[in-house]
Short mmCIF file of all heavy atoms in Angstrom, two decimals:
data_model
loop_
_atom_site.label_atom_id
_atom_site.label_comp_id
_atom_site.label_asym_id
_atom_site.label_seq_id
_atom_site.Cartn_x
_atom_site.Cartn_y
_atom_site.Cartn_z
N ILE X 1 -5.90 -12.17 -42.73
CA ILE X 1 -6.95 -12.75 -41.87
C ILE X 1 -8.34 -12.50 -42.47
O ILE X 1 -9.21 -13.39 -42.44
CB ILE X 1 -6.83 -12.17 -40.44
CG1 ILE X 1 -5.59 -12.71 -39.76
CG2 ILE X 1 -8.09 -12.53 -39.60
CD1 ILE X 1 -5.27 -12.06 -38.45
N TRP X 2 -8.55 -11.32 -43.01
CA TRP X 2 -9.86 -10.97 -43.62
C TRP X 2 -10.14 -11.90 -44.78
O TRP X 2 -11.24 -12.45 -44.89
CB TRP X 2 -9.84 -9.52 -44.03
CG TRP X 2 -11.24 -9.01 -44.35
CD1 TRP X 2 -12.15 -8.48 -43.49
CD2 TRP X 2 -11.84 -8.96 -45.65
NE1 TRP X 2 -13.29 -8.10 -44.19
CE2 TRP X 2 -13.13 -8.41 -45.51
CE3 TRP X 2 -11.44 -9.35 -46.91
CZ2 TRP X 2 -13.98 -8.22 -46.57
CZ3 TRP X 2 -12.29 -9.15 -47.99
CH2 TRP X 2 -13.55 -8.59 -47.82
N VAL X 3 -9.18 -12.04 -45.69
CA VAL X 3 -9.37 -12.91 -46.83
C VAL X 3 -9.59 -14.37 -46.43
O VAL X 3 -10.47 -15.06 -46.91
CB VAL X 3 -8.16 -12.81 -47.80
CG1 VAL X 3 -8.27 -13.83 -48.94
CG2 VAL X 3 -8.08 -11.42 -48.39
N LEU X 4 -8.76 -14.83 -45.46
CA LEU X 4 -8.89 -16.19 -44.98
C LEU X 4 -10.26 -16.40 -44.33
O LEU X 4 -10.91 -17.46 -44.54
CB LEU X 4 -7.78 -16.49 -43.96
CG LEU X 4 -7.73 -17.91 -43.40
CD1 LEU X 4 -7.48 -18.90 -44.53
CD2 LEU X 4 -6.65 -18.01 -42.35
N ALA X 5 -10.73 -15.41 -43.57
CA ALA X 5 -12.04 -15.55 -42.93
C ALA X 5 -13.16 -15.60 -43.97
O ALA X 5 -14.10 -16.40 -43.80
CB ALA X 5 -12.28 -14.38 -41.97
N VAL X 6 -13.05 -14.81 -45.03
CA VAL X 6 -14.06 -14.82 -46.07
C VAL X 6 -14.09 -16.19 -46.71
O VAL X 6 -15.16 -16.78 -46.98
CB VAL X 6 -13.78 -13.73 -47.11
CG1 VAL X 6 -14.65 -13.94 -48.35
CG2 VAL X 6 -14.00 -12.35 -46.53
N VAL X 7 -12.90 -16.72 -47.00
CA VAL X 7 -12.83 -18.05 -47.67
C VAL X 7 -13.43 -19.13 -46.74
O VAL X 7 -14.22 -19.97 -47.19
CB VAL X 7 -11.38 -18.41 -48.00
CG1 VAL X 7 -11.26 -19.85 -48.51
CG2 VAL X 7 -10.85 -17.47 -49.09
N ILE X 8 -13.04 -19.13 -45.46
CA ILE X 8 -13.54 -20.16 -44.55
C ILE X 8 -15.06 -20.05 -44.36
O ILE X 8 -15.79 -21.04 -44.36
CB ILE X 8 -12.83 -20.06 -43.19
CG1 ILE X 8 -11.33 -20.38 -43.36
CG2 ILE X 8 -13.47 -20.97 -42.16
CD1 ILE X 8 -10.50 -20.19 -42.12
N LEU X 9 -15.54 -18.79 -44.23
CA LEU X 9 -16.97 -18.58 -44.07
C LEU X 9 -17.71 -19.03 -45.35
O LEU X 9 -18.81 -19.58 -45.25
CB LEU X 9 -17.25 -17.11 -43.79
CG LEU X 9 -16.99 -16.64 -42.33
CD1 LEU X 9 -17.09 -15.14 -42.24
CD2 LEU X 9 -17.99 -17.32 -41.36
N ALA X 10 -17.10 -18.76 -46.52
CA ALA X 10 -17.76 -19.15 -47.77
C ALA X 10 -17.86 -20.67 -47.82
O ALA X 10 -18.92 -21.20 -48.23
CB ALA X 10 -16.96 -18.65 -48.94
N ILE X 11 -16.81 -21.36 -47.43
CA ILE X 11 -16.87 -22.83 -47.38
C ILE X 11 -17.93 -23.34 -46.40
O ILE X 11 -18.69 -24.25 -46.67
CB ILE X 11 -15.48 -23.42 -47.02
CG1 ILE X 11 -14.46 -23.09 -48.16
CG2 ILE X 11 -15.55 -24.92 -46.78
CD1 ILE X 11 -13.05 -23.45 -47.79
N ALA X 12 -17.96 -22.65 -45.23
CA ALA X 12 -18.94 -23.04 -44.21
C ALA X 12 -20.37 -22.88 -44.73
O ALA X 12 -21.22 -23.77 -44.55
CB ALA X 12 -18.70 -22.22 -42.94
N PHE X 13 -20.65 -21.73 -45.35
CA PHE X 13 -21.99 -21.50 -45.84
C PHE X 13 -22.32 -22.43 -47.00
O PHE X 13 -23.50 -22.82 -47.17
CB PHE X 13 -22.16 -20.03 -46.26
CG PHE X 13 -22.40 -19.10 -45.13
CD1 PHE X 13 -21.44 -18.13 -44.77
CD2 PHE X 13 -23.57 -19.18 -44.40
CE1 PHE X 13 -21.68 -17.28 -43.71
CE2 PHE X 13 -23.80 -18.34 -43.34
CZ PHE X 13 -22.84 -17.39 -42.98
N ALA X 14 -21.34 -22.79 -47.79
CA ALA X 14 -21.56 -23.74 -48.89
C ALA X 14 -22.00 -25.08 -48.29
O ALA X 14 -22.91 -25.78 -48.77
CB ALA X 14 -20.34 -23.90 -49.74
N MET X 15 -21.28 -25.52 -47.24
CA MET X 15 -21.64 -26.81 -46.60
C MET X 15 -23.00 -26.72 -45.96
O MET X 15 -23.81 -27.66 -46.01
CB MET X 15 -20.59 -27.13 -45.57
CG MET X 15 -19.20 -27.41 -46.15
SD MET X 15 -17.90 -27.60 -44.90
CE MET X 15 -18.51 -29.11 -44.05
N ILE X 16 -23.30 -25.61 -45.33
CA ILE X 16 -24.58 -25.42 -44.64
C ILE X 16 -25.74 -25.44 -45.68
O ILE X 16 -26.75 -26.09 -45.46
CB ILE X 16 -24.61 -24.11 -43.87
CG1 ILE X 16 -23.66 -24.16 -42.67
CG2 ILE X 16 -26.03 -23.76 -43.40
CD1 ILE X 16 -23.44 -22.86 -41.98
N SER X 17 -25.53 -24.74 -46.80
CA SER X 17 -26.59 -24.69 -47.82
C SER X 17 -26.78 -26.06 -48.43
O SER X 17 -27.94 -26.43 -48.79
CB SER X 17 -26.22 -23.67 -48.88
OG SER X 17 -25.03 -24.00 -49.58
N HIS X 18 -25.70 -26.83 -48.61
CA HIS X 18 -25.84 -28.20 -49.15
C HIS X 18 -26.62 -29.09 -48.17
O HIS X 18 -27.47 -29.87 -48.57
CB HIS X 18 -24.46 -28.80 -49.43
CG HIS X 18 -24.54 -30.19 -49.95
ND1 HIS X 18 -24.92 -30.48 -51.24
CD2 HIS X 18 -24.23 -31.37 -49.38
CE1 HIS X 18 -24.87 -31.78 -51.43
NE2 HIS X 18 -24.44 -32.36 -50.32
N GLU X 19 -26.28 -28.93 -46.88
CA GLU X 19 -26.95 -29.71 -45.84
C GLU X 19 -28.42 -29.38 -45.78
O GLU X 19 -29.29 -30.27 -45.51
CB GLU X 19 -26.30 -29.42 -44.49
CG GLU X 19 -26.94 -30.10 -43.33
CD GLU X 19 -26.37 -29.58 -41.98
OE1 GLU X 19 -25.24 -29.03 -42.02
OE2 GLU X 19 -27.03 -29.75 -40.97
N ARG X 20 -28.78 -28.17 -46.08
CA ARG X 20 -30.17 -27.72 -45.95
C ARG X 20 -30.91 -27.64 -47.27
O ARG X 20 -31.89 -26.97 -47.42
CB ARG X 20 -30.19 -26.33 -45.28
CG ARG X 20 -29.63 -26.33 -43.89
CD ARG X 20 -29.42 -24.93 -43.36
NE ARG X 20 -30.69 -24.19 -43.30
CZ ARG X 20 -30.77 -22.85 -43.09
NH1 ARG X 20 -29.64 -22.15 -42.91
NH2 ARG X 20 -31.92 -22.25 -43.08
N ALA X 21 -30.36 -28.34 -48.29
CA ALA X 21 -30.96 -28.27 -49.62
C ALA X 21 -32.43 -28.72 -49.61
O ALA X 21 -33.28 -28.10 -50.23
CB ALA X 21 -30.14 -29.14 -50.59
N LYS X 22 -32.74 -29.83 -48.91
CA LYS X 22 -34.10 -30.32 -48.83
C LYS X 22 -35.01 -29.31 -48.15
O LYS X 22 -36.17 -29.11 -48.55
CB LYS X 22 -34.15 -31.68 -48.08
CG LYS X 22 -33.27 -32.74 -48.67
CD LYS X 22 -33.70 -33.09 -50.07
CE LYS X 22 -32.93 -34.28 -50.59
NZ LYS X 22 -31.49 -34.03 -50.72
N GLU X 23 -34.46 -28.66 -47.11
CA GLU X 23 -35.24 -27.63 -46.40
C GLU X 23 -35.63 -26.51 -47.34
O GLU X 23 -36.80 -26.05 -47.36
CB GLU X 23 -34.43 -27.08 -45.20
CG GLU X 23 -35.08 -25.92 -44.49
CD GLU X 23 -34.15 -25.27 -43.49
OE1 GLU X 23 -33.21 -25.96 -43.00
OE2 GLU X 23 -34.32 -24.10 -43.19
N PHE X 24 -34.67 -26.07 -48.13
CA PHE X 24 -34.96 -24.98 -49.07
C PHE X 24 -35.93 -25.43 -50.16
O PHE X 24 -36.77 -24.67 -50.64
CB PHE X 24 -33.64 -24.49 -49.72
CG PHE X 24 -32.68 -23.82 -48.76
CD1 PHE X 24 -31.35 -24.11 -48.78
CD2 PHE X 24 -33.19 -22.94 -47.79
CE1 PHE X 24 -30.47 -23.50 -47.89
CE2 PHE X 24 -32.34 -22.34 -46.88
CZ PHE X 24 -30.94 -22.61 -46.94
N ALA X 25 -35.81 -26.71 -50.54
CA ALA X 25 -36.73 -27.22 -51.57
C ALA X 25 -38.16 -27.25 -51.05
O ALA X 25 -39.11 -26.88 -51.77
CB ALA X 25 -36.30 -28.63 -51.98
N VAL X 26 -38.33 -27.66 -49.80
CA VAL X 26 -39.67 -27.66 -49.18
C VAL X 26 -40.21 -26.28 -49.12
O VAL X 26 -41.44 -26.03 -49.43
CB VAL X 26 -39.63 -28.32 -47.79
CG1 VAL X 26 -40.94 -28.13 -47.05
CG2 VAL X 26 -39.30 -29.80 -47.88
N LEU X 27 -39.42 -25.27 -48.71
CA LEU X 27 -39.83 -23.90 -48.66
C LEU X 27 -40.27 -23.39 -50.04
O LEU X 27 -41.25 -22.69 -50.19
CB LEU X 27 -38.72 -23.01 -48.12
CG LEU X 27 -38.41 -23.18 -46.63
CD1 LEU X 27 -37.18 -22.36 -46.22
CD2 LEU X 27 -39.61 -22.73 -45.79
N ARG X 28 -39.56 -23.83 -51.08
CA ARG X 28 -39.94 -23.45 -52.45
C ARG X 28 -41.29 -24.03 -52.80
O ARG X 28 -42.14 -23.37 -53.39
CB ARG X 28 -38.88 -23.92 -53.47
CG ARG X 28 -37.60 -23.13 -53.43
CD ARG X 28 -37.69 -21.77 -54.14
NE ARG X 28 -37.84 -21.97 -55.57
CZ ARG X 28 -38.85 -21.53 -56.33
NH1 ARG X 28 -39.86 -20.87 -55.75
NH2 ARG X 28 -38.87 -21.73 -57.62
N CYS X 29 -41.52 -25.30 -52.42
CA CYS X 29 -42.79 -25.94 -52.71
C CYS X 29 -43.93 -25.31 -51.95
O CYS X 29 -45.09 -25.34 -52.40
CB CYS X 29 -42.72 -27.43 -52.39
SG CYS X 29 -41.62 -28.37 -53.49
#
């Protein structure tokens, strides 16, 4: 369960970071 949760959370954060790419770019600017 721990390994599975890490994998699922990693996928979730990858999707979240992709969705917020423009937001992060604006913050960098």
Side-chain angles (χ1 to χ4, degrees):
I1 290 172
W2 193 86
V3 172
L4 183 62
V6 170
V7 172
I8 294 175
L9 283 170
I11 295 173
F13 279 113
M15 295 173 63
I16 291 171
S17 62
H18 179 73
E19 176 189 341
R20 297 170 61 191
K22 303 298 186 296
E23 174 189 335
F24 294 137
V26 171
L27 289 174
R28 286 282 290 123
C29 292

